[in-house]
Amino acid sequence: MLNLFSPRRLPWISGTDGQKKVVLTAVEVESLRSEIAALEEREAHLKAQLEHIDEILQSARMSGYLFVRARWAALPGEPLPIDDDTEVDDWLPRFLVLHGSCIFLYKSSIDLSPQDSTLLSDVVEVGAMPCLTRDDGDTRYCFFISTRNGLRYECSSASKIQVDSWLVTLQEERELQPNFTAPDDLTKT
């Protein structure tokens, strides 16, 4: 794009006032105008997409960064998957958004399209998991979301308040009270 600005291609001449000027043909000027118009159109499109994401985030019930990993349930007749958390750190930071009847997983908060999504109607269980202690001594609070398709999202955060908020909100949204394991301090009122 804008390859006309290559120093070798521009015909420089000296003006009457001592300043250098560029002389372009009508075709080169029109090419630049069309490239600028295309860039302005792309900028307007991207701004519209960002405004749409902003509207979604403003109306979202919950959103925030969590560390997430996905696990599949074993199929009938298959052995249970080996899950050795000590050797493999497969927790990836993801930006989760609970909007309407869906949970969206974005790679980052500025992505225009989600990497994955799950309908709340597909969620069969939500619950707390034991805390993880990292090698650096940090504690992560965890919860899981299981779907009817056998996919289990395990989510964690260094913030207990954030995890508790997600658990309570998902409980309210899905009305999974019989399957829901609430932390002790959330059930006390």
Side-chain angles (χ1 to χ4, degrees), residues 60-62 96-105 117-126 143-149 153 166-176:
R61 178 88 191 258
M62 292 282 299
L96 272 68
V97 176
L98 175 59
H99 183 263
S101 63
C102 200
I103 302 170
F104 298 97
L105 287 86
S117 64
T118 297
L119 290 171
L120 288 175
S121 60
D122 287 342
V123 174
V124 294
E125 188 177 6
V126 175
F143 70 97
F144 68 91
I145 304 166
S146 294
T147 68
R148 73 173 84 181
N149 303 324
Y153 293 104
W166 275 96
L167 282 170
V168 168
T169 302
L170 289 170
Q171 177 189 18
E172 290 171 357
E173 288 290 322
R174 286 291 304 140
E175 300 176 1
L176 292 175

Side-chain angles (χ1 to χ4, degrees), residues 51-186:
E51 287 174 9
H52 176 69
I53 289 174
D54 189 47
E55 289 173 15
I56 288 174
L57 288 176
Q58 287 178 7
S59 63
R61 178 88 191 258
M62 292 282 299
S63 65
Y65 277 100
L66 293 170
F67 287 92
V68 179
R69 65 183 182 180
R71 299 284 188 257
W72 288 98
L75 295 172
E78 284 187 342
L80 290 174
I82 298 172
D83 189 19
D84 189 4
D85 292 335
T86 59
E87 293 182 20
V88 178
D89 185 8
D90 56 351
W91 293 92
L92 299 172
R94 294 292 180 254
F95 190 76
L96 272 68
V97 176
L98 175 59
H99 183 263
S101 63
C102 200
I103 302 170
F104 298 97
L105 287 86
Y106 293 86
K107 195 170 186 176
S108 77
S109 62
I110 59 171
D111 284 351
L112 298 177
S113 300
Q115 251 189 343
D116 198 5
S117 64
T118 297
L119 290 171
L120 288 175
S121 60
D122 287 342
V123 174
V124 294
E125 188 177 6
V126 175
M129 293 173 43
C131 296
L132 297 174
T133 303
R134 310 278 303 166
D135 292 338
D136 56 7
D138 289 340
T139 299
R140 281 200 198 153
Y141 302 92
C142 306
F143 70 97
F144 68 91
I145 304 166
S146 294
T147 68
R148 73 173 84 181
N149 303 324
L151 184 59
R152 176 179 162 122
Y153 293 104
E154 296 179 351
C155 306
S156 70
S157 173
S159 169
K160 184 175 185 338
I161 293 170
Q162 183 182 25
V163 167
D164 291 347
S165 295
W166 275 96
L167 282 170
V168 168
T169 302
L170 289 170
Q171 177 189 18
E172 290 171 357
E173 288 290 322
R174 286 291 304 140
E175 300 176 1
L176 292 175
Q177 293 172 357
N179 298 329
F180 180 70
T181 308
D184 292 336
D185 58 329
L186 289 178

Side-chain angles (χ1 to χ4, degrees), residues 41-52:
E41 183 178 328
R42 179 167 164 75
E43 179 186 23
H45 177 71
L46 291 174
K47 280 183 181 179
Q49 286 180 319
L50 286 174
E51 287 174 9
H52 176 69

